[in-house]
């Protein structure tokens, strides 16, 4: 070897390559199982991160505008700040944006849209909310769509589609068009839905719109092009006037999507056209570009997505500890060879580079495997993410996540960079220690005094920084969205700082454990190893601390959240029966109950008192909020408000006196920095209203913000008698279940809940939204425990000589396994104990800083003792079991096998 | 008439006749069509003779009739004699006699009336031919005034000036590829073709139209080819035709030409082709003299022959081009022959929206080897795709 290195020495790169090939690879090959495990753990971290990123991307990138189905994403979208756009806007727009035919900006396409969310009717007794995939039903001018189909050379026409297998549909083109335009229930579905449900021209599809189960007739499949993405599975398209009638939106529509001519897609022409549009609809509607619309959707879910992304980094963070300790252990194992190499003239920089290359190659391997695994994992996580987005934010039926090149590259580079970073210190150590010292250090990898001091300084420094960052304000964006950047860094620094200091607890544990271990040789032996812990011991404990700390911290947050929500619904849900449209399976479904229906329901002889809520989405401060109308007096009488800032006057609860007043949710107050007593100007379909904020109440069901006024006023502003939900208080002696059954039978388009059922539903959805969180935490803890096993395996391998002596002195394999188990258990205990302590700090940070800054909710802190206790017991026990297993294998010495 | 009718009314007819070099024989017998009825079976009015046209009202829309179009073709020249040919057509078709059947309350989106717009532009120098089609229901994005000439489909529009009966503006864009804006002024009086104001298109008691034409208009404006603007001047032919049912079941397609001679006269000619391979006796040719006076000739008095064939690479249709036309000249009483030579072969509109491919192109008019005028020629029913597209 030396001769080849000498020959190669004039070319430094070749020396590094030779070192990797002849030196590093030999070690990796010699322990394939451990090498593979390390690679897999790193790839798991990458995979989890990537899968969450892909799932988030898929959920956010789901259907945002209809123009995308036709040809390209809309360049601009025009919508009223509240309610519908009147049809007259279209003619005005055409007139005011008209240019001469020879103008290069000619060719502006305006696509008016009516949109609603509907859902298939319930089957049997299942009335869980959010479990049925909603359909996004789009109303668009089918005649105009034919132009796009022709331009884009779609695979079929909008009208005139035939029953599969039939040669002719019996109509000529004109008849088919007229028939389509005069049918009120003809819809086009996606090819995916048609294939999945076996739908073809003439088939029927039942879906609930408002309070009615409507039977739609399939007129065909949404045309498309083979080289374009398929239409979303949950998309249904029908003729605009027909949907206007069906949804009660006659004379208006929800938005206009604009496609610019190619000369105006960018640059100055784009701005000219945008300005023309803005001027044309000034005072009536706002114009949003595709970017701002996408940004709004992203901002809405940013907090949720960031939380998931950060949690997904847990496994990678723990994986980093593993890489660090694996490479650090390798320095120890290979120190004799390093000393020989150094003595033979290999330069420090070459050793360091070889070490860094090793780390980088590990990152490459882990990155490649992680990207593949991440994509596969994303197919599972996307449904969970999508369902949560559906429940909390907007209708979303995303079923698959594509492999996005940018995300994959990010994950891959993250793996490589993290590996190199983790390998930096071991590489430095391998390169900088003099050969004589390397030989002299024997079998131990004890830290030097300088390192120990540095570790303390860094650890405490990070903790101090963490505390400081916790007091920094969030970043704020347009539309009132906030991002707790400093809070997240505070969490990261806190966990890493605590992890760095975790090793010091091992000495304390060894000192404490000495008394416990005094009567057992194996325990004594185990404890003795921890009196002067190696860096691997430290990093194993740090990894566990990190995982347990984040898991515990999230448990504290979730526990506090659950406690707060539980108290809140205790206040809020006091009626006996609740009703809403059965089509409202997603947060943005605004199906309503017509006046005739709710009057019939509230007139039922079993009903003693009732209230109704009308919800209207409006634009405020550049973002979306909800304007709610309810009987404020009813809320007050039934103590349904949980006040953060109670109204100073009772007048807000009297409809005759509360015009011009409102109460706002805590999220609204935090998002827009509005306080009690201040005035806000809210857009409504009948113009802007200036409202005085009379009070601020808690609402954990919404993080965008709610402004609540008396229903009488809101119905007048909106010009409707419809309502969104109904709550009924029954007469004494009435059985809620019986009334519910009766109402379900008489109103098949309504979802009817009893109080008990609705509370259960709220908590089920609450837990469902955290399901993915639990899974991510479990993976993090799993990786940390696997790291513990790897650490012990590595240590046992190094102690082979010691073990052989112990066996010769009469210790059995079982005894050695016990030593390993004790060592592992104490390690795990230290990591867990440290993790639990820091989880309390992290929990407080999540509750009071990150949650507050992101969602604006005040949570009542509650420590989930049972969960933390379980974590505190389970992790050391599983750690001991893993260590025992590793010990059994580690004690299988070559000497035993040759005996 | 022409393709307009094919697109809008006879969707069930399959117009496919093989090319024949020789002129089609005229179907035997005199052309004595059945008397016109007042209304069609589906309740639309049928054009009646003796109608007193009033303008600008009669330049506008006639919603009591089923089919109507405003059809402009022309030849434009830039400052360096750069030459263009263009076509712009606004079709209106009522789908039901009344609006009661349309979806309730949707004035902005009517289902009882549909508009179709076609535009094409030929850059003669390069041979580049661009075209577009746009379908729109009557309402916010398409419509026609019943009081004056004001028709629009999307951004395309044709409008009469408030104070002038014979001045119009035309705007049409062909997506990002081009467009044109023209100010038009009639140089000759309006012509009403046919007998006593009614142009018969077949034997059927409803096959008739009011056929109003400005055979020669001065055009001044701009042409855009991508982002290049060219100031232009030229001459335009503008038809406005109103009917409720024109085609008969026996007719397979038709050929049409509007010829503007350099001597200030014009010819309008159409040959209706029957499925049995003969020329329908309702075919006609009309001369318009310099003062706007018309002289009509019947099917047997002129000949329309093909002197070649051009096969469209897009639709596969074989079009009989160039056209050889011979007809008596009322000024001399002698038969004159012309060749209508396309300025480019590729002037086929592919029917991407309507499903009806047809050829509509600018031609130079040659007589004894000398260029004597300019023409626009329309050839329909040669693409088998008509039936497929509108099945």
């Amino acid at each position: 070897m030396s001769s080849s290195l000498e020959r190669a020495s004039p070319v430094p790169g070749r020396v590094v390559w030779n070192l990797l090939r002849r030196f590093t690879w030999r070690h990796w090959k010699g322990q394939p199982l451990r090498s593979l495990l390390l690679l897999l753990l790193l790839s798991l971290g990458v995979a989890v991160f990537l899968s969450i990123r892909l799932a988030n991307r898929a959920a956010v990138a789901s259907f945002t505008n209809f123009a995308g189905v036709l040809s390209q994403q809309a360049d601009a979208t025009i919508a009223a700040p509240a309610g519908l756009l009147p049809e007259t806007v279209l003619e005005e727009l055409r007139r005011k944006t008209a240019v001469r035919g020879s103008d290069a900006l000619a060719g502006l396409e305006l696509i008016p849209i009516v949109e609603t969310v509907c859902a298939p009717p319930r089957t049997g007794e299942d009335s869980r909310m959010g479990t049925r995939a909603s359909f996004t039903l789009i109303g668009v001018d089918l005649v105009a769509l034919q132009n796009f189909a022709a331009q884009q050379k779609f695979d079929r026409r909008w009208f005139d589609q035939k029953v599969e297998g039939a040669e002719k549909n019996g109509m000529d083109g004109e008849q088919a068009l007229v028939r389509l335009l005069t049918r009120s229930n003809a819809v086009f579905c996606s090819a995916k839905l048609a294939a999945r449900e076996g739908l073809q021209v003439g088939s029927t599809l039942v879906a609930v719109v408002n309070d009615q189960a409507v039977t739609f007739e399939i007129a065909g499949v949404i045309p498309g092009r083979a080289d374009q993405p398929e239409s979303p599975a949950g998309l249904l398209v029908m003729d605009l006037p027909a949907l206007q009638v069906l949804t009660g939106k006659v004379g208006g529509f929800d938005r206009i999507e604009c496609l610019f001519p190619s000369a105006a897609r960018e640059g100055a022409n784009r701005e000219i056209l945008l300005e023309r549009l803005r001027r044309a609809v000034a005072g009536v509607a706002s114009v949003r570009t595709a970017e701002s619309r996408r940004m709004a959707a992203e901002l809405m879910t940013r907090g949720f997505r960031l939380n998931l992304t950060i949690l997904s980094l847990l496994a990678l963070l723990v994986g980093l500890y593993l890489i660090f300790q694996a490479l650090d252990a390798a320095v120890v194992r290979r120190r004799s060879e390093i000393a020989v190499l150094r003595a033979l003239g290999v330069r420090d920089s070459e050793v360091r580079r070889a070490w860094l290359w090793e780390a980088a190659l590990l990152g490459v391997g882990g990155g490649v495997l992680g990207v593949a695994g991440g994509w596969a994992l994303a197919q599972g996580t996307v449904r969970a993410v999508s369902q949560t987005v559906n429940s909390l934010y907007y209708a979303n039926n995303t079923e698959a996540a594509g492999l996005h090149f940018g995300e994959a590259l990010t994950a891959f580079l993250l793996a490589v960079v993290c590996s190199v970073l983790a390998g930096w210190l071991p590489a430095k150590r391998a390169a900088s220690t003099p050969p004589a010292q390397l030989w002299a250090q024997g079998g131990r990898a004890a830290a030097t005094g300088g390192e120990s001091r540095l570790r303390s300084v860094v650890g405490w420094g990070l903790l101090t920084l963490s505390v400081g960052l916790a007091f920094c304000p969030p970043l704020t964006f347009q539309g009132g969205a906030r991002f707790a950047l400093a809070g997240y860094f505070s969490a990261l620094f806190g966990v890493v700082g605590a992890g760095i200091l975790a090793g010091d607890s091992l000495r304390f544990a060894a000192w404490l454990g000495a008394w416990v271990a005094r009567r057992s040789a194996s325990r004594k032996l185990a404890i003795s190893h921890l009196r002067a812990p190696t860096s691997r011991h430290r990093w194993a404990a740090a990894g566990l601390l990190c995982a347990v700390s984040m898991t515990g911290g999230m448990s504290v947050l979730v526990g506090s959240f659950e406690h707060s929500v539980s108290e809140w619904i205790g206040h809020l849900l006091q009626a006996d029966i609740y009703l809403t449209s059965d089509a409202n399976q997603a947060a943005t479904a605004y199906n309503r109950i017509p006046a005739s229906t709710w009057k019939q329901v509230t007139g039922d002889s079993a009903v003693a008192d009732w209230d109704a809520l009308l919800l209207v989405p409006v634009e405020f401060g550049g973002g979306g909020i909800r304007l709610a109308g309810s009987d404020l007096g009813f809320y007050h009488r039934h103590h349904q408000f949980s006040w953060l800032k109670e109204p100073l006057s009772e007048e807000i609860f009297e409809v005759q006196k509360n015009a011009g007043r409102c109460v706002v949710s805590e999220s609204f107050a935090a998002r827009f920095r509005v306080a009690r007593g201040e005035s806000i100007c809210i857009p409504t379909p009948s113009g802007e209203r200036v409202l005085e904020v009379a009070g601020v109440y808690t609402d954990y069901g919404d993080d965008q913000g709610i402004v609540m006024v008396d229903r009488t006023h809101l119905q007048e502003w909106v010009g409707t008698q419809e309502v969104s939900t109904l709550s009924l208080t029954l007469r004494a002696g009435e059985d809620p279940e019986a009334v519910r059954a009766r109402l379900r039978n008489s109103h098949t388009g309504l979802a009817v809940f009893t109080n008990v059922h609705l509370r259960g539903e709220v908590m089920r959805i609450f837990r469902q939204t955290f399901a993915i969180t639990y899974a991510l935490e479990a993976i993090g803890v799993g990786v940390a425990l696997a790291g513990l096993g790897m650490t012990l395996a590595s240590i046992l391998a190094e102690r082979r000589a010691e073990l052989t002596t112990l066996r010769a002195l009469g210790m059995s394999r079982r005894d050695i396994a016990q030593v390993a188990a004790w060592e592992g258990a104490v390690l795990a205990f230290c990591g867990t104990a440290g993790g639990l302590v820091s989880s309390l700090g992290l929990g407080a940070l999540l509750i009071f800083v990150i949650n507050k800054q992101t969602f604006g909710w005040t949570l009542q802190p509650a420590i989930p003792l049972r969960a933390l206790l379980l974590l505190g017991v389970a992790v050391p026990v599983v750690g001991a079991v893993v260590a025992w297993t590793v010990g059994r294998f580690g004690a299988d010495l070559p000497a035993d096998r040759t005996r | 008439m022409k393709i307009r009718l094919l697109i809008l009314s006879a969707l069930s007819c399959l117009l496919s006749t093989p090319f024949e070099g020789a002129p089609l024989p005229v179907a035997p017998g005199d052309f004595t069509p059945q008397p016109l009825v007042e209304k069609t079976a589906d309740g639309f009015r049928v054009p009646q003779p003796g109608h007193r046209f009033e303008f600008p009202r009669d330049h506008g829309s006639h919603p009591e009739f089923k089919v109507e179009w405003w059809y402009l073709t022309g030849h434009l020249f830039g400052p360096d004699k750069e030459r263009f040919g263009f076509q712009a057509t606004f079709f209106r078709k009522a789908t039901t006699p009344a609006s009661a059947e349309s979806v309730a309350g949707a004035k902005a989106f009517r289902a009882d009336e549909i508009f179709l717009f076609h535009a094409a532009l030929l850059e003669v120098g390069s041979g580049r031919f661009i075209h577009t089609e746009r379908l729109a229901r009557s309402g916010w994005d398409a419509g026609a005034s019943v009081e004056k000439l004001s028709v629009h489909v999307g951004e395309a529009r044709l409008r009469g000036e408030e104070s002038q009966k014979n001045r119009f503006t035309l705007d049409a864009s062909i997506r990002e590829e081009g467009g044109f804006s023209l100010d038009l002024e009639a140089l000759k009086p309006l012509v009403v073709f046919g007998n006593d104001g009614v142009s018969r298109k077949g034997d059927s008691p409803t096959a008739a139209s009011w056929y109003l034409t400005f055979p020669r208009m001065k055009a001044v404006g701009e042409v855009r080819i991508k982002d290049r603007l060219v100031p232009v001047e030229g001459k335009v032919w503008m038809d406005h035709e109103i009917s409720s049912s024109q085609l008969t079941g026996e007719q397979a397609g038709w050929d049409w030409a509007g010829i503007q001679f350099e001597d200030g006269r014009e010819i309008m000619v159409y040959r209706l082709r029957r499925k049995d391979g003969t020329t329908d006796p309702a075919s006609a040719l009309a001369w318009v003299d310099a003062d706007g006076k018309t002289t009509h000739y019947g099917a047997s008095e002129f000949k329309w022959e093909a002197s070649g064939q051009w096969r469209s690479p897009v639709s596969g249709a074989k079009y009989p081009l160039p056209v050889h036309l011979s007809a008596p000249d009322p000024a001399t009483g002698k038969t004159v022959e012309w060749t209508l030579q396309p300025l480019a072969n590729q002037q086929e509109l592919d029917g991407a929206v309507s499903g009806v491919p047809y050829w509509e192109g600018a031609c130079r008019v040659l007589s004894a080897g000398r260029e004597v005028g300019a023409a626009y020629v329309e050839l329909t029913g040669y693409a088998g795709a008509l039936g497929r597209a509108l099945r």
Side-chain angles (χ1 to χ4, degrees), chain A residues 107 141 147 160 162 174 239, chain B residues 11 93 135 137 155 391:
Chain A
D141 181 355
N147 299 316
D160 203 19
K162 288 188 237 7
E174 180 185 309
D239 198 29
Chain B
L11 300 178
K93 171 74 185 288
L135 192 63
R137 69 212 301 170
E155 288 184 328
R391 56 193 177 266

Side-chain angles (χ1 to χ4, degrees), chain A residues 321 325 498-506 535-548 784 787-788 791 826-832 834-835:
Chain A
Y321 283 112
Q325 64 100 339
I500 289 173
L501 297 174
D504 293 337
S505 66
L506 292 175
S535 61
R536 278 153 294 149
H537 285 107
R538 289 175 178 281
W539 290 117
L544 269 171
L545 181 140
C546 178
V548 171
L788 176 70
T791 302
V826 175
L827 251 177
F829 176 78
C830 287
T832 307

Side-chain angles (χ1 to χ4, degrees), chain A residues 565-577:
Chain A
V565 168
S566 203
E567 294 255 306
W568 171 63
I569 60 172
H571 272 289
L572 186 70
L573 304 183
Q574 295 193 11
D576 297 307
I577 299 276

